[in-house]
Amino acid sequence: MKDLFSELETHEALADGAILMHGFALADEAAILHAIEQVVEAAPFRHMNTPGGFRMSVAMTNCGAFGWVTDRHGYRYSPVDPQSGDPWPQMPPILQALAERAAQEAGYRDFSPDACLINRYEPSTKMSLHQDKDEQDFNNPIVSVSLGLPASFQFGGLKRTDPVRKYALHHGDVVVWGGPSRLFYHGILALKQGQHPLVGSLRLNLTFRKAV
Ligand code: SIN
Ligand code: FE2
């Protein structure tokens, strides 16, 4: 049982409905990384193309009933991996449980994700400011888990031009946003060089969503 002081130290409110929980995933780091390896064996990382024809610098794969994909036809969720034609690998129970536990801790009771996007950042890659809006129901929050090298997370508002704050996300940190901040713009600045003892010269991000 955590005491009030450690609670205050580890949770940081970003906006109404949005919270950064420092170190929330640390206790399970080995099992989480193992689960990711298993997913990647079945559905390797790949660089997808934006509808406008640009190759994304961040490599991606998915697990769960639905996976987020992008190609010249647009952004969407697909029940199959377009590269293999097979369903995405099942969401490993350890990942599902982590996402649900994080959502609960953040005050979102009934979150049950059916999609987990796995992002792989190499040094100098980034994710431009965007909204997560390809899901059917915005009542469900987003749960985002950071692993490996640290990154600078931008978190703004409902409009692209709203002021943006920057937060350092470290290995094991979890951000949850929903409710009034569900559609807030966010992004990741270019990753700095570095070496993480477990993950190497990479950052991994898990983004859990209820897509359908
Ligand atoms: C995303 O918004 O899809 C990724 C965010 C992150 O890598 O932390
Ligand atoms: Fe996003």
Side-chain angles (χ1 to χ4, degrees):
M1 183 77 186
K2 279 187 271 180
D3 62 23
L4 183 59
F5 186 69
S6 73
E7 201 75 27
L8 288 170
E9 275 205 333
T10 56
H11 290 29
E12 185 178 357
L14 307 189
D16 204 5
I19 190 164
L20 163 51
M21 304 189 293
H22 295 282
F24 189 84
L26 267 187
D28 297 324
E29 58 180 358
I32 294 167
L33 290 169
H34 180 69
I36 295 172
E37 274 170 26
Q38 308 252 265
V39 170
V40 170
E41 249 174 60
F45 283 113
R46 79 289 307 264
H47 293 273
M48 299 186 197
N49 292 305
T50 66
F54 292 99
R55 177 185 189 263
M56 296 188 78
S57 68
V58 176
M60 299 174 172
T61 187
N62 291 278
C63 59
F66 297 93
W68 187 84
V69 296
T70 171
D71 58 22
R72 70 184 65 188
H73 303 295
Y75 305 123
R76 64 192 177 279
Y77 283 92
S78 168
V80 298
D81 176 350
Q83 202 157 278
S84 64
D86 294 332
W88 295 104
Q90 284 191 349
M91 198 182 299
I94 177 101
L95 300 187
Q96 178 106 21
L98 170 69
E100 292 178 4
R101 204 156 47 79
Q104 286 208 0
E105 180 83 2
Y108 298 99
R109 287 256 176 79
D110 305 313
F111 182 58
S112 179
D114 56 14
C116 173
L117 171 65
I118 308 176
N119 291 314
R120 186 192 68 192
Y121 297 76
E122 289 174 4
S124 88
T125 66
K126 66 181 173 97
M127 178 87 63
S128 304
L129 217 53
H130 67 277
Q131 294 172 296
D132 287 11
K133 56 177 184 187
D134 301 316
E135 300 72 33
Q136 280 179 10
D137 181 355
F138 300 141
N139 284 312
N140 292 113
I142 305 286
V143 173
S144 170
V145 177
S146 292
L147 298 162
L149 292 180
S152 187
F153 178 61
Q154 304 172 288
F155 199 64
L158 283 174
K159 289 182 301 199
R160 186 182 288 280
T161 50
D162 283 341
V164 167
R165 285 220 173 104
K166 286 188 279 179
Y167 301 90
L169 296 184
H170 291 99
H171 178 77
D173 287 354
V174 178
V175 182
V176 181
W177 65 97
S181 51
R182 173 62 178 75
L183 290 171
F184 276 20
Y185 275 87
H186 58 280
I188 293 286
L189 296 179
L191 201 76
K192 297 216 168 95
Q193 288 282 354
Q195 197 67 32
H196 184 276
L198 292 180
V199 182
S201 184
L202 294 173
R203 172 175 185 262
L204 298 173
N205 166 260
L206 307 174
T207 301
F208 296 91
R209 308 180 181 113
K210 177 106 177 75
V212 172

